Amino acid sequence: MEGCTQLIGEVSRARLQYLPPQKLAALLDAMRTLEDLTADQPSPDQLKPEQETP
């Protein structure tokens, strides 16, 4: 998984370097907004249905 994450980061950096500064700033702002909106949300592990006890 770590190798995949590293590869995604490298590809993203390579692509993002061609964005004009204004578009890069807008993208980063949107990403921060998404992070803020999901900060109080449960993680996927917390969304698993509870097991019923017999």
Side-chain angles (χ1 to χ4, degrees), residues 3-27:
C4 291
T5 302
Q6 182 179 356
L7 179 60
I8 289 169
E10 291 172 8
V11 170
S12 297
R13 280 189 290 282
R15 301 252 183 207
L16 293 177
Q17 72 179 346
Y18 297 108
L19 278 179
Q22 287 179 314
K23 287 193 176 196
L24 180 58
L27 173 61

Side-chain angles (χ1 to χ4, degrees), residues 12-48:
S12 297
R13 280 189 290 282
R15 301 252 183 207
L16 293 177
Q17 72 179 346
Y18 297 108
L19 278 179
Q22 287 179 314
K23 287 193 176 196
L24 180 58
L27 173 61
L28 294 174
D29 187 47
M31 292 173 70
R32 284 187 206 101
T33 299
L34 287 172
E35 182 179 6
D36 290 345
L37 289 172
T38 59
D40 295 332
Q41 300 297 316
S43 69
D45 290 340
Q46 294 170 328
L47 295 175
K48 291 180 182 175

